[in-house]
Structures are given as C-alpha cells and as structure tokens.
Amino acid sequence: MVNYTCGVASTKSSLRRSSNSQITLLRKQTERYRLHIRFQLNEQLKCLEQRIDTQLSILAEIQEYFKRRADVELDYAKNLDNLHKQINQKSRTQKARRETWILQSINKLWETIVHDTRTHVKYHTIMSDICGKYMYDKFNEIVEDTRRMFTKCKSVALASHEDIFKVLNELQSTMKTYHQYQSESKQAEQKLRIIQQQMAKIKSAKKQKTMEKRVEKRQMKYTETKVKAFKARNDYLMTIESVNAALKKYCTDDVPDLIDCMNFGFHTSIAKSIQMYLSAQENIKRGRQATIETLNRAIGDLDTVTDKQKYLEYYSNTFTIPKKIKFEPHKGDEVSAVNAQVLIRDEMQSRFIQMQSRLAGLKTENDEIFKTIEATEQSLMEFINTKNSDVSDLFKDLNLPQNISKDKRKEIEDYYVEKFKQYTLSSNLIARLQARHDIMQKALGAAPTTASVEDKNLIRRPIKPKQIGRAPILGRPRLFGGKLLDYIQVTQQHVPLIISSCVSAINRLGLHNQGIFRVPGAQIDINQFKEAFEKGEDPLVNITGRDMNSVAGVLKLYFRELKEPLFARDMFDSFISCIVDVESEEKCVENLCQVVKLLPRPIFIVMRYFFAFLNHLAEYSDENMMDASNLASCLAPTLMPIPEDKDQVQYLTHTIELIRTIITHHEEIFPSDGNGPIYEKFAITVAIDGEEDEDDEGISERSLRRTPSDDASQDSDYCTEDFNLLNETDVW
C-alpha cells in the first residue's frame, strides 16, 4: 500500500510538472502573439493618422495657394485699375486733341479695350474675394470636418481593438483551462490504471470488493474529468476559430470601412469647392477653358474606392491579415477538431440551436442598422452636396454665398458614426458566432440551413459586399471609358444615344453592307463621331450609306472602352458555365434565361435591344456576309473580354459560341415584358451609284418596311417612356 501511494504521488507530481511546463510555454507564446497583434493594430492606427496628416498637408497647400492667389488677383486688379485711371486722366487732359478720334473706326476698338480693362478690374477683384474669403474658409471647414471625422472613427477603431483583445484574453483563458483539464484527465486515467493493476493482484474476495468500490470511484472521477476535458477542448477550438474570424473580419472589412467612414464626404466637399473656383474662371476668360477641363477631369477622377485600394496596397504589410492561430494540443491528445461525443452531444446540440437563433436575430438587426446607415449617408450627403458652387451671380454683385449652419450636420455625423460603430461591432460578433456555428455544425453533422431547397445548377450573381460611404456621381459621367449604368442613371436614357443612333443608322442604311462590324471604318470619321457623341450630340442625323463601316466602328469602340464591359466581369463565370459542358443548345438557352434575370434592369434593356438588332442584321447574311457566327467572332472580344487570369485561346471559343447563341435565340433569352424600348425592324433601299432600280417584284419586301420618318417617330416614343424601372440598381 505504501508503494502504491508513493507511486501515485510520484506519477501525479511528474504529470503536474510536465503540464505546468507546457502551460507556461504556451502562455508565453500566446502572450507574444497578443503583443504582436497589439503592435500591428497600433501600427494601423499610426498609418491611418499618417494618411489623415497627408490629406491635411495637401489641404494646407491648397489653402496657401488660394490665399496667395487672392493677393495676386488683388494686386493685378489694383494695377489694372491704376492703368484705367491713368488712361481716363490722359483722355481728359487731351480732350481737345481727341475730338476727331470719333471719326476713326479704330477708336471703337480702343474704347472696347479700355472698357475691357475696367471689366477685368471687377472680375479680378471678385476672384480675389472668392480665393481669399470663401475658398480659404471652405478649406478650413474641410480640415475641421476631416479631423473631426477621424477622431470619431478612431474611437470606433479603438472599440474594435478592445473587442479583439477581449477575445484574445478569452483565448488565453480557454487554453489554460483546456490544458489544466487535460492534465487532470491524464492524472485520473493514470490513477485508474494503477488501481486496476493493484486489483488484478489481489486474491482475497473481501479485499477485491473493497477495491471494486475504489475502482468505481476512480472510474467516475476519470469520466468526470474526461467530460471536462472534452468541453474545454471544444471551447478552446471554437475560441480559436472565433479569434481568427474576428481578426480576418477586422482586416478585410472593418479597416476598409473605417477608411470609407473617415473619408465620407471628403472628396465631394473638395469637388464642390473647386467647382466654385471653376465657375469663377469660366466667367473671367474663355481662354482658360483648358484649365477648367483639366480640373473637371481631376474632379471626375476623385474616387474613394480607388484611393483606398491604392493606400491598402501600399501598406500591404501593415494591413495584411495576421497569421492564423493554430491549435496547440496537449501532449498525447491527437484530436484537432471539435467533435460531439455522446457525453456532450445533447448539450452541444442545444447550444447549436441557440446559436442559430441568435445569429438569425443578429443578422436581421445588422441589416437594419446598415439600412439606417445608408439613409443617414443620404441625409449627410445633402449637406455636403449643396448646390452653392455656382458663383455666376457674384459677377453681378459682390455678395458671397452664405454658409450653411453646421450644427445639423454635426448632429447627423454623430448619429452616423454611432450607427457605423454599432454596425462594425455587430458584424464582428456575427463573424465570430458564425465561425463557432460552422464548426459546431460540422461536428454535429447538421445539414446547412437554407431558406429553400434550390437547384444546384441555378447560377447566382456574386454578392457584392456592403459599402460604407458610397459617393454620388459627380457631374456628367463619361460616355467613352465610363460605366454604362452610371450613364443611364444620370442621363435617364433607356438606351444610350450612341447605341440607339448607330443601330438606327445601320438598320436604315447598312443591313446590306458587306462585312459590317468586320471591315474597319475611317479612323478620322470614327474620332469625329466619338467627340460628337461625348458632347451629347448626334452626328448620324444626316449619315450616308457609305459611312456604315465607320458607324459600326464607333459603336465597337464604345463597347470596347466601357469601364465595365456589357457582360460584367463578376458574371463572366456565370455566363461561361451556361455554355461549357452543356448537353444541348436548348439547355444552354435555358441556363442563359436564368442568368439574364440576375442582370440589373437597365443592362437587360440594353442587351435586349442590341441583340435583337444583331439578330436582324444576321437575317441579311446572304448579302452582308455576316451571319450569327461571324458577328459573334467580331463582337465577342469587345462585349465579353476574357479576364487576364484565364486561358485566352480556350475561353475565346466559349465566348464566341455564347454570343452566337444569344444572337440566335435572343427572343427566348430576352423576352419582351412591355417595359423599356424594343428594337423594331425597318429598312430602306439605298441607291448605289451605277445600280438601277429594281422592278416592282424585286422591291416588294423592302417597300413594306418602315421609312426613316417612321424611325424618327419611334425614337421619340422611346424618349418619352416612363423611366421608373431604371431606379432599380440591383437585380430585377
């Protein structure tokens, strides 16, 4: 008995020392990891502060420029005024000598020059007031707003940091508990094994009965410690997943959202200020038009998303996702995944159900918070986007625009940042709970929860992440090189003028043109058409049949230069999957019908219009040599460019086949629903030099088609249709 007691004590002491040593080592590793995370988070805040300092430095330079520009303008105005006074004084002293000047026509020119000098005095005085008063004060407000928003958003970041540190502390606690319970379980197991060995050596029945009670007691103790060890290990693994999810969510979503929140209204405020400066420039001198256009382009290039992306790429080492935490098993424990043993399955199932319910509630609440954020952004943008940048009235009187009260804006800002804080913390909590939910679901073998059982072959449009601080479109969007959706939204055109005009011209005059869309047009004509369309004009009103290749060329150029192709990049795989490994063309058409339903409504209308035209064009393939396959070969690289990371040769075949299928079956893929313009077939016969008129029998088919005047009336009908559906910016 003494030996047994000594042996147990020795074993227990040895296990305790081993466990304490391992716990101490892991605690040091965890502490080093926590310090690393803290250092990285602090570095991120420093980078964000540096970013704001950079913005403020640029604003300070702009302020200094306008301050000095005001002095220059005022000095110039004073010098012009002195010049004007000297001229008037000289005119008064030499009045007698200049009596005959009125007889000379050059005198009118001289008087105009003198009057223009006085006008310039007035204009440059106004410009001095604009630069020195309004512009300087406006940039002071921007600096104040930027600093205030950064301070508020920094508090949100610190709150997120505290949340992350809480989870890291929880990780350290669960790790310690796990190793402690594993150690106790091993000790209980060792004791049970020793007493079982002792019992095997006892021959006396009485002693065996006593030992059985002790074995039963040890067995209960072992079971109890084993259950604790199972629970502790599961909690440790789930906490690891929670920490990893929190860190990933913070780095991938929260940091970009923080930058968006800090920058909310920044670019728009600067743009509105510069637009006032441009308005003054336009009223001073037409010769400065080049400067105005340059600044307009600079305003159009203000893009929070691009700025943010470049910034994050530049500091990629600082803002990268930290290395994933790995499970550190207790010595002898080879299980590295959450599992649902019989002893704890019921409890885990109950926790899993509760977590599902909580996640559903949190997601609903989070969506409502985001809707509130969007509504608040719209209200806040109304203050930023106030139409007070037109200073034409200042050239009639010297009254500067009145500044809007800032109290209301500050109140909305506070509410907006508070909601953003709630949204950020709620999203983090959802990410952590979702990580626990998924790992428990896998352990329990539960089926994924879905709202309904859907066809696995149903193709979904990629879900775009929610965006904080979405900026409005500034000015008129570019036609060539712009986004089709933005252009439609601003111009309120169902089908952009360049598409409807080119299609109408080819429909009337080019259906019989050989090699249409394949034969290149005259580059000079294409450039002229491009410039006219960019200005909002229609250069094809008086077009002739000989210019059809140039008309097709400018239309191809427009589709090729779109910032987002007609077939959106994020839906490339969805469209390709409709054509690859499909047993029949009917199935391909069926798949395409499902995919086009996921398109934004304005894009659907444009595609329906354009592919109906291509189908009509293919009907004349005997004359124009452009059937559906040839048209697809010419237009597929333009309408559906292949991503750079994919095999260009392989996917070119797929895209051509896809475009051919859509041209051939456009009526099935794009059904008419009574909304938006529908392409109408009409054509006229174009007389070509040296070609005689056909007889009545030969032209009977063409004579039944519409005339150009019918086309013009149809186009006007398109322009007057209701445009409500274009407000739908997502899936219709």
Side-chain angles (χ1 to χ4, degrees), residues 209-224:
K209 188 173 182 180
T210 304
M211 291 298 288
E212 285 176 355
K213 293 181 179 180
R214 296 181 64 182
V215 169
E216 183 180 356
K217 183 179 179 181
R218 292 296 180 187
Q219 182 67 47
M220 292 176 60
K221 181 67 175 178
Y222 169 70
T223 302
E224 179 184 350

Side-chain angles (χ1 to χ4, degrees), residues 57-263:
S57 298
I58 297 174
L59 290 178
E61 288 289 328
I62 297 175
Q63 277 185 289
E64 181 65 19
Y65 166 80
F66 281 112
K67 184 178 180 180
R68 297 179 64 181
R69 176 66 180 268
D71 296 335
V72 171
E73 293 286 348
L74 186 59
D75 290 339
Y76 183 58
K78 289 180 179 179
N79 290 333
L80 283 178
D81 190 41
N82 291 333
L83 175 61
H84 185 264
K85 289 178 180 179
Q86 292 173 4
I87 293 172
N88 287 338
Q89 180 66 27
K90 188 175 182 180
S91 297
R92 285 192 294 268
T93 57
Q94 298 180 355
K95 185 176 181 181
R97 293 177 53 188
R98 300 188 179 191
E99 288 180 352
T100 58
W101 283 27
I102 194 172
L103 303 177
Q104 302 291 329
S105 61
I106 194 173
N107 184 60
K108 184 66 176 177
L109 173 61
W110 168 239
E111 289 179 351
T112 303
I113 293 174
V114 174
H115 178 75
D116 182 68
T117 303
R118 181 58 188 168
T119 303
H120 271 70
V121 172
K122 176 184 176 182
Y123 283 175
H124 286 281
T125 302
I126 294 172
M127 178 62 77
S128 176
D129 289 337
I130 291 174
C131 293
K133 295 178 182 178
Y134 185 84
M135 297 297 293
Y136 190 86
D137 294 340
K138 187 65 176 176
F139 278 100
N140 265 337
E141 290 180 6
I142 296 173
V143 170
E144 178 186 349
D145 296 339
T146 302
R147 285 174 175 164
R148 186 173 63 251
M149 285 295 288
F150 173 75
T151 302
K152 294 175 181 178
C153 291
K154 183 178 179 181
S155 66
V156 176
L158 292 175
S160 298
H161 292 181
E162 291 176 4
D163 208 24
I164 291 173
F165 292 140
K166 287 179 182 178
V167 182
L168 289 173
N169 290 334
E170 181 185 355
L171 172 65
Q172 189 173 20
S173 176
T174 54
M175 182 199 71
K176 180 179 178 182
T177 304
Y178 158 71
H179 285 282
Q180 180 180 346
Y181 284 164
Q182 285 288 346
S183 178
E184 291 177 0
S185 176
K186 291 295 183 182
Q187 292 175 15
E189 182 182 8
Q190 186 68 21
K191 290 179 180 180
L192 177 61
R193 190 177 294 114
I194 291 173
I195 198 170
Q196 287 175 343
Q197 292 174 357
Q198 291 290 332
M199 183 179 176
K201 296 177 181 180
I202 297 174
K203 305 297 183 179
S204 171
K206 183 177 180 180
K207 289 184 178 181
Q208 279 190 348
K209 188 173 182 180
T210 304
M211 291 298 288
E212 285 176 355
K213 293 181 179 180
R214 296 181 64 182
V215 169
E216 183 180 356
K217 183 179 179 181
R218 292 296 180 187
Q219 182 67 47
M220 292 176 60
K221 181 67 175 178
Y222 169 70
T223 302
E224 179 184 350
T225 56
K226 198 67 176 175
V227 169
K228 289 182 179 179
F230 286 157
K231 293 181 179 179
R233 182 175 60 207
N234 287 345
D235 287 341
Y236 180 30
L237 288 168
M238 287 189 289
T239 305
I240 289 175
E241 289 298 319
S242 180
V243 171
N244 289 332
L247 293 174
K248 180 180 179 181
K249 173 66 171 59
Y250 178 80
C251 291
T252 57
D253 295 334
D254 296 350
V255 170
D257 286 347
L258 274 170
I259 297 176
D260 286 335
C261 187
M262 292 175 186
N263 261 9

Side-chain angles (χ1 to χ4, degrees), residues 512-531:
H512 312 279
N513 195 68
Q514 286 191 6
I516 190 74
F517 285 112
R518 185 180 68 231
V519 178
Q523 191 60 45
I524 295 178
D525 293 339
I526 292 176
N527 291 337
Q528 291 177 350
F529 293 158
K530 176 182 177 180
E531 292 177 3

Side-chain angles (χ1 to χ4, degrees), residues 462-614:
I463 300 175
K464 296 184 178 179
K466 297 176 180 176
Q467 181 180 345
I468 297 294
R470 185 176 295 134
I473 300 172
L474 298 174
R476 182 184 179 90
R478 287 181 294 179
L479 181 63
F480 287 81
K483 291 184 178 180
L484 178 58
L485 271 176
D486 290 348
Y487 189 85
I488 292 175
Q489 180 182 350
V490 173
T491 61
Q492 300 288 291
Q493 297 175 2
H494 281 26
V495 177
L497 176 63
I498 185 173
I499 299 178
S500 60
S501 180
C502 291
V503 165
S504 176
I506 297 173
N507 196 352
R508 291 183 286 110
L509 307 173
L511 292 177
H512 312 279
N513 195 68
Q514 286 191 6
I516 190 74
F517 285 112
R518 185 180 68 231
V519 178
Q523 191 60 45
I524 295 178
D525 293 339
I526 292 176
N527 291 337
Q528 291 177 350
F529 293 158
K530 176 182 177 180
E531 292 177 3
F533 279 123
E534 193 69 69
K535 295 177 182 178
E537 303 171 357
D538 187 355
L540 308 183
V541 175
N542 299 318
I543 200 72
T544 64
R546 298 184 181 279
D547 297 321
M548 286 301 101
N549 289 329
S550 297
V551 173
V554 75
L555 185 56
K556 285 179 65 177
L557 179 65
Y558 166 71
F559 282 120
R560 183 164 59 249
E561 291 189 358
L562 281 176
K563 193 171 184 180
E564 180 69 31
L566 185 63
F567 289 81
R569 295 183 181 90
D570 61 353
M571 292 191 68
F572 182 85
D573 292 333
S574 298
F575 276 107
I576 290 298
S577 62
C578 296
I579 203 79
V580 177
D581 298 331
V582 177
E583 59 272 14
S584 64
E585 188 162 313
E586 289 75 14
K587 182 61 177 176
C588 174
V589 172
E590 182 182 343
N591 291 341
L592 285 170
C593 290
Q594 296 296 323
V595 174
V596 297
K597 291 180 180 179
L598 307 175
L599 293 169
R601 182 62 181 171
I603 300 298
F604 177 89
I605 292 175
V606 171
M607 282 191 175
R608 181 178 63 187
Y609 184 88
F610 185 62
F611 280 102
F613 157 70
L614 294 179

